[in-house]
Amino acid sequence: MPKKIVAFGEVMMRLQVPGYELLTQSNTLQYSFSGTGVNVASAMTKLGYNGYLVTKLPDNPIGDAAISFLQRLGIARDFISKGGKYVGMYFLENGFGQRASRVTYTNRLESSFNTAVISDFDMDLIAENADIIHFCGITLAMTEQVRENMKMLAKKVKEKGGLICFDCNYRPSLWDGGYTKARPHYEDMLQLADIVLMNEKDAIYILGMETKATSKEDQLKELIPRVAKKFNIQTIAGTHRAINSDNTHSLKGYMYKNDAFVFSKNISFSVYDRIGAGDAYTSGILHGELSGFPAEKTVQFAAAAGMLACTIVGDTPMSTETEILSTMAGNIEDIKR
Amino acid sequence: MPKKIVAFGEVMMRLQVPGYELLTQSNTLQYSFSGTGVNVASAMTKLGYNGYLVTKLPDNPIGDAAISFLQRLGIARDFISKGGKYVGMYFLENGFGQRASRVTYTNRLESSFNTAVISDFDMDLIAENADIIHFCGITLAMTEQVRENMKMLAKKVKEKGGLICFDCNYRPSLWDGGYTKARPHYEDMLQLADIVLMNEKDAIYILGMETKATSKEDQLKELIPRVAKKFNIQTIAGTHRAINSDNTHSLKGYMYKNDAFVFSKNISFSVYDRIGAGDAYTSGILHGELSGFPAEKTVQFAAAAGMLACTIVGDTPMSTETEILSTMAGNIEDIKR
Amino acid sequence: MPKKIVAFGEVMMRLQVPGYELLTQSNTLQYSFSGTGVNVASAMTKLGYNGYLVTKLPDNPIGDAAISFLQRLGIARDFISKGGKYVGMYFLENGFGQRASRVTYTNRLESSFNTAVISDFDMDLIAENADIIHFCGITLAMTEQVRENMKMLAKKVKEKGGLICFDCNYRPSLWDGGYTKARPHYEDMLQLADIVLMNEKDAIYILGMETKATSKEDQLKELIPRVAKKFNIQTIAGTHRAINSDNTHSLKGYMYKNDAFVFSKNISFSVYDRIGAGDAYTSGILHGELSGFPAEKTVQFAAAAGMLACTIVGDTPMSTETEILSTMAGNIEDIKR
Amino acid sequence: MPKKIVAFGEVMMRLQVPGYELLTQSNTLQYSFSGTGVNVASAMTKLGYNGYLVTKLPDNPIGDAAISFLQRLGIARDFISKGGKYVGMYFLENGFGQRASRVTYTNRLESSFNTAVISDFDMDLIAENADIIHFCGITLAMTEQVRENMKMLAKKVKEKGGLICFDCNYRPSLWDGGYTKARPHYEDMLQLADIVLMNEKDAIYILGMETKATSKEDQLKELIPRVAKKFNIQTIAGTHRAINSDNTHSLKGYMYKNDAFVFSKNISFSVYDRIGAGDAYTSGILHGELSGFPAEKTVQFAAAAGMLACTIVGDTPMSTETEILSTMAGNIEDIKR
Amino acid sequence: MPKKIVAFGEVMMRLQVPGYELLTQSNTLQYSFSGTGVNVASAMTKLGYNGYLVTKLPDNPIGDAAISFLQRLGIARDFISKGGKYVGMYFLENGFGQRASRVTYTNRLESSFNTAVISDFDMDLIAENADIIHFCGITLAMTEQVRENMKMLAKKVKEKGGLICFDCNYRPSLWDGGYTKARPHYEDMLQLADIVLMNEKDAIYILGMETKATSKEDQLKELIPRVAKKFNIQTIAGTHRAINSDNTHSLKGYMYKNDAFVFSKNISFSVYDRIGAGDAYTSGILHGELSGFPAEKTVQFAAAAGMLACTIVGDTPMSTETEILSTMAGNIEDIKR
Amino acid sequence: MPKKIVAFGEVMMRLQVPGYELLTQSNTLQYSFSGTGVNVASAMTKLGYNGYLVTKLPDNPIGDAAISFLQRLGIARDFISKGGKYVGMYFLENGFGQRASRVTYTNRLESSFNTAVISDFDMDLIAENADIIHFCGITLAMTEQVRENMKMLAKKVKEKGGLICFDCNYRPSLWDGGYTKARPHYEDMLQLADIVLMNEKDAIYILGMETKATSKEDQLKELIPRVAKKFNIQTIAGTHRAINSDNTHSLKGYMYKNDAFVFSKNISFSVYDRIGAGDAYTSGILHGELSGFPAEKTVQFAAAAGMLACTIVGDTPMSTETEILSTMAGNIEDIKR
């Protein structure tokens, strides 16, 4: 019986201009539904787990379309509440070469998820079932009510023995009060968390930690152990990413566990769709931990999962363990027949 | 120098599932931008006038796309204000046969237009330029601020000698307080209006008029003259519409002016896209009045314009005077070479 | 807890030329996955039940795509076995007016489902869970092994108290030996069945019953009671269908139960996609029976479900109870806002 | 060895707006290559003959695309000359209901075909091979040189014993000098022709014949025998067509041969693509004559071929003899499996 | 009040095979309308100016579509004349890697623009309004009448104090008589011009200047000052471009003004759509000059504008000043949220 | 009169997911028809020969579509037999960057071609007409009957003086018995062959030859002359290919003839569609040999043909001699106007 991986988060409708046209040039959009929770739950499904999403969607054709899409990804609808009025949306115009991709959001705070209250979710049932539950800093940025929902659910799962995974994922544009406003909420979540996704910037800016180290590697090595200690976190992982002058991307993953760091190779690769790569990395870490991989394998696996997610259409990772392991082995295959 | 026809209203983004799939089945949408004001301004442009829209759109890629789309329709951007955050949207799933089309709205009250204030518009400049200005009951349903903007603009145009056209267009789902809440605002607009689009239902339900007549034709003939008299309206026009069992639609137009009714023939026709047909009818009435058509010709022209709008993709009428007159002549042509 | 509706059957890949081009003219296909079992399980899901499919699909990208598609429809993957090599396929070219639609099959007998053996399915688990299980005469036509699988499963479900629904659905092109070969297998299934879909032609040709009645209505009224009696079947239902000269279709449903016939109105309607209408009718009968509808309502509901399925893209019915009841009320709506 | 059917004529590039958008609304076109000669040669190929086209196309990517398209239709490239600069083009916007389809031409007189000279074609080789050669009044309207090419080829084929088929197909917009200019050229072609497609209007307007009959049927019955006699034509055939108020079309075919008229039933049908129906009718007449069908069957076959061509995407008929005969039998089939 | 930038030139219909298929493989085209004048006027509109085009388009659906498209780009229709018969067209097949893109033209000399006469344009009105007017060597290559129109308009604008911008843009295939025929016309335009786009090859081949320098840089440095002096030109600018072995392109811009050269960095970048990059460079030069940028900034801005135009779908630049400045800063951004 | 190049082989239907989606994500496929024989025959047609295919296709809409597609490519239908039931198919999901493309086959052994018998082909007629006939190791892997058909045809052509070209093209997944089973059949074909496509791996694995050389170059230089001698083969050619870390591909061609090796440059290039590049190489060798090119030119021409095939959509090479020669010259062109 596969483990049950639950994610808590908003479902966004992604509306993408096909090809490389701008919204002012095109007349067509391709739509899908995603979000950090969707991406992690779906990625874990592809890796052999039972993926669940705790969310709320409107009882209208858009909500129905969202649920159909999630089911297509293999996510169970058991913990999806229906009601409210809207789905958050974002428009994506693909960049090319020196021209960056562009994301434009529509109203989000009035969405079904962001107006949900605690009674919308059967938190006890969820807590009884979740082997791992995943939360994300984007959700934390929404409203006081959403934060309350989130912390309550985290506590209930923790009480029942489920693992709490928290991805810091700080988005400056979403926090009106900036780091000062965000800090206590992040601290609350870190207190509860067993597995945390973050890097040195989160420690410095969100948690306000200080360091004299100047390179990001040194900052990481100094600060992450302090975070792990302070909040008593079992595993912390994350990535350093860069965009190269030839438009390829580079990714180097790390994991800190049992007082030790491991790093993946710094891998470079072509990118088709950048969004969701971080969630693929998260799913790789979770899978490694759940499978008892050695730390070196886990971090390499997570990095490969992140890379493959960049070659997949849409936000949501689609790769199986076999595919990720094959890519880790470093072969560039011709055609798989 | 063509006359300047100005419309005041919100620009909506229309997101349509192509073909006959449902949102749960498809992955593609076609988008355009419309709204009653857009439709009337554009239709008048096709009829040879200079069309303007008074609206507000966000300064982001969606707002830019909306402006490009309006310009494509021939609408001048001179009176379009930029700012605010969002564009109202609606999703359209095409019906087929016995299955009706379905419209799902997203948040609308937070749109740039619906959060605009009086200072967003250069009302004096607009008033100096408008030969006719068009308003719509949908706009009236939005917020207190929008109603204030609307009435202020109507007054300024009236003072400068422009004609006020008001389309009652009552949408029950948009008025929280129902007819009771709507009535005084409708009365304010009718006091200002020179040309009004409505029928007997509006008189009965919005204005609370009573009649013992039972057929809609008799109700119309009794109530419309009373409305014209009470509010001192020069011209009132409207339609009776029906959907036939073979999925064709029927339309019969009327116009009341100089104490007399004229009616168009009751025409039946196949429908490709129903939305916007009423705005085409309005534009036909305006064109007839501005051109000094005899009333019989005006109402027939307006009905033909409404019918042709149903054969055109999208909300917005695209037919020229020549095309409408040719259709009025009743020929079903084969192929125009 | 919704009832569990299980269907047993092959998943076919449907490859449809978009629009009205022929395969020799086009270069594009739209694909989906369907089959009588898929259609019934999915239709029941839309009506509020938990739908399951018992089938076998290959462990390759096409099998994965099929499962994703079934999940999108809301069908649970619990009883889907993986293995074998192929998926049966059919190509569909849409007809227009006097030109009929055309279906071309690829190899089917080598499909994963048609090469499955009893041990591929956990029949005991299925039998414990099925409130109703649905079988179809198309499946019966496949191979001796498939027939064996089918009868074994039917028996196990019956033993556990589940209802057996059997749709005769005789396809002449699939039976090498014709009616003679088919008859004993149909008789086996009818012995087990509680609810049967068929009409007088099945009684005459498959079961070899004789009648002197000449009209199909009279034949129906004479033969169906004899079938019900002979095989001790609780409910028999079916349709008479016709294509009218204006390319609309007509459908009249019947149900025979408790020694009495009820008939739906003979309804006429435009057709977008004919395939799957019969399965929608079946789902309507099942829903009426499970909901304790009066027989008149059940048969009318089933007919309306069949009609609506003809307005939906693809083989698979997508309508909810609300939508079907609204259509039964006979309103042709304009636009649902 | 199938008979060789040769057609002489221009290849036009057809650029069609998909769906029902106007050129001002869309951004996409579907292209194909057609023309009366293309349509007849291709239709005859589908009926089992070897189809050839005598034409000239530029030696550039558009000419290459045209040849590929003709080959796809089954037309042999043996008699296609390469050179010149351009291909004639036309844009097609589909009408809907009361809105007619619209065709817009680009430059045509500078096309490779219309600037070709006699030495561009190996007329002797063609004449040796053609069992039938088909000409069309559209070609006759082009230039003096084209007319010369056409008459020369007709003479050579006639000398070698091939049959000359001439379709009057008078297009007013193509003749600068009107009927007066056209008449002598039509007379030249009629002198050479064995099988002619025309109706009473051609006799009256092009040939200047007079009649006191008032109905088109009476005019036809009076004038066609006079034409046949005057020009010594073996077979004359044609159609009367009408568009009905429900947008269906009606077609009634006739054939005059051996001093007797036969008429097809007046058939009504839905139309997907009107262009090319006349060429399908021609191909039906030719096939009937070549197959020795009784006249009644020939004219009915031709009418059915014309009707089916209206259900096919594009200008070019695609139906086989089997399909046409099946349609003649009058069955509206459901789905051909 | 933004300055008015006017361009004089032909509007071409661009018909592009989507993706990487050849015309012989595809059946679909995407169309847009462009031309050097269109590109410059539109690019200036995006940079905040009022863009106008002086051209002539047919009064038919293709002309209407062209005007709609120009309006969508923000170009005013005030100076567009209607009449004539045709629009020039070109077909574009995208190259990939070592396979070059391919352009095939249709008839151009019979277009509405190329058959226009002086009285088709209200030259006095244009001259009163143009702050800058842009001309191009492609237009100069058309017909004697076009050249006459062009020079007349240039003179009138110059008289009224507008600046004349002339882009040499010599296309060998368009000049029957080669450089000898072109030279006097180029000299006429250079006499009138204030801002000229050219490089050393134009000086050598068109103007027949001689130099002993061998590298293109040295030739440029020697010849451009001689050109500026001879024709009394205020500003001359241009680019050196190269295609690298990895299919990236390189671009280095220069500007000569006040007896001094400035050069941009030699930038390398991926290219999505090459056509129109030169026009973007021109618009960058014009914007820098009108904004009083230092020469170094102007040339760098123009180069960045040229680069960004290569990342945009279609011929026409779409970037704003903000976007170009951001690219100049050299950041490769990830995703703009 | 161009030489007649005949290929013997199966036609496969290629069903490709457009863009970079997976089968589980998309709902659309693009289809074409290909196969080694198709590719070689078509490539030779583009190079100026008359291309024929000996194959068998079902007499149904898919078979018709295949024939239309082959004709579009210029392949003559004279030697195509009709009958049997199915066409072999494969699904293609495009890879991106580190994610490889993926091919999934459907049933193949039951295809019309693979169930054909000798009497399905008019082998004597083919033998009389073939200047060269091409066979492929993929075909050899099918069934005993197919092998018999193939060897019989090869013998008949050889007797009539045609050249036999054999491409080893060993696909491990197709041979149940592996190299041991394949060897005698390969030896049979090599005995008959005049021109062979292979490299050192084929010699080692299929033919079981031994060598102490370790680099593939040395193995090639040792083994190919031994193969040529043993089987008395006039010309042997082939390639070494590699995928580079930046996803470009490299190709180096060789040809062994008259006891001497020639090698092409090792060229690197971007790849759009890898499938069919080997067939393009083959066609280049055949063209060089038939044209009497010096060996160095032949091998360089073949390599350039292979490279260009990778830039073309679909399996089938589309380049002309002019285009290949231009690419050989090494110019990266900008835009061909």
Side-chain angles (χ1 to χ4, degrees), chain E residues 20-22 24-26 96-103 105 171 241 243-245 247 249 274-275, chain F residues 72 268-272 307-308 310-314 316 318 323 327 330-337:
Chain E
Y20 295 96
E21 287 188 313
L22 305 177
T24 54
Q25 297 179 297
S26 184
F96 183 88
Q98 306 301 104
R99 179 167 62 79
S101 290
R102 202 161 54 170
V103 164
Y105 288 93
R171 291 266 176 83
R241 297 176 52 254
I243 304 183
N244 307 314
S245 64
N247 291 307
H249 287 215
R274 227 288 282 148
I275 307 177
Chain F
R72 186 180 194 180
S268 290
F269 47 90
S270 298
V271 169
Y272 185 81
M307 176 176 74
L308 276 179
C310 292
T311 72
I312 289 283
V313 175
T316 308
M318 300 294 290
E323 290 164 349
T327 299
N331 307 315
I332 305 183
E333 291 177 75
D334 188 8
I335 298 168
K336 284 191 200 163
R337 291 182 198 260

Side-chain angles (χ1 to χ4, degrees), chain B residues 216-272:
Chain B
K216 59 186 181 179
E217 288 77 10
D218 289 347
Q219 292 173 339
L220 187 84
K221 287 183 185 164
E222 179 187 337
L223 295 174
I224 294 302
R226 284 166 53 191
V227 173
K229 188 160 190 186
K230 176 171 180 187
F231 296 100
N232 190 28
I233 301 167
Q234 169 205 306
T235 304
I236 303 184
T239 59
H240 283 149
R241 297 175 52 254
I243 304 184
N244 308 314
S245 64
D246 64 350
N247 291 307
T248 60
H249 288 215
S250 291
L251 174 95
K252 181 169 190 168
Y254 86 90
M255 186 164 73
Y256 177 78
K257 190 183 169 182
N258 300 333
D259 303 335
F261 275 97
V262 290
F263 291 90
S264 77
K265 278 177 281 184
N266 187 27
I267 52 179
S268 291
F269 47 91
S270 298
V271 169
Y272 185 80

